[in-house]
Amino acid sequence: MEIWINPACSKCRSALTLLDAEGADYTVRRYLEDVPSPDEIRQVLDRLGLEPWDITRTQEDAAKELGLKEWARDAESRERWIEALSAHPKLLQRPIITAEDGTAVVGRSEEAVRDALSR
């Protein structure tokens, strides 16, 4: 399993603490330094079963500068969102945990992290 984290994020630190407590085998990806490509974001979205706007932090300064709240949330705009997430990784919701069964979760709660562990 892999977990995409921002070390400054308390939710990320909590997820790591829980994974460690459960003895999980995982790798850490600091996605602000090792920025996911558009293809990697597409793959994670497929694993999550979500759209890019579902995992976008719209309150970030970059989101406000881009005017993301006004962007269409439809199939024609999907690639534009994915490109924005790759160009501005701070916009990604975190942490994202890829589970061993090929799925993924946004691990913002203990329940979500435990869900990833159970897969």
Side-chain angles (χ1 to χ4, degrees):
M1 115 177 15
E2 182 176 75
I3 181 169
W4 292 7
I5 68 156
N6 172 351
C9 168
S10 64
K11 301 282 185 189
C12 294
R13 292 191 306 271
S14 294
L16 291 173
T17 299
L18 180 55
L19 291 174
D20 288 341
E22 295 296 325
D25 182 24
Y26 64 91
T27 56
V28 171
R29 179 172 185 171
R30 294 178 178 222
Y31 69 90
L32 296 178
E33 299 163 17
D34 183 8
V35 177
S37 69
D39 280 341
E40 289 174 306
I41 292 171
R42 279 186 214 92
Q43 290 169 8
V44 162
L45 287 167
D46 288 345
R47 293 177 81 164
L48 288 165
L50 297 173
E51 293 297 337
W53 45 85
D54 297 326
I55 63 166
T56 300
R57 299 172 56 85
T58 58
Q59 296 304 313
E60 292 288 333
D61 289 342
K64 292 174 184 173
E65 290 168 17
L66 293 169
L68 287 182
K69 285 192 174 184
E70 283 74 46
W71 287 16
R73 296 176 181 217
D74 56 25
E76 292 79 36
S77 302
R78 187 173 198 265
E79 284 305 308
R80 183 181 186 199
W81 282 85
I82 290 169
E83 293 292 333
L85 290 173
S86 183
H88 306 277
K90 225 175 186 180
L91 296 176
L92 283 166
Q93 197 60 261
R94 59 190 183 249
I96 294 176
I97 304 169
T98 56
E100 292 187 21
D101 70 351
T103 62
V105 299
V106 178
R108 295 191 59 76
S109 68
E110 181 177 334
E111 295 77 28
V113 176
R114 289 193 183 282
D115 182 34
L117 283 167
S118 71
R119 297 181 183 196

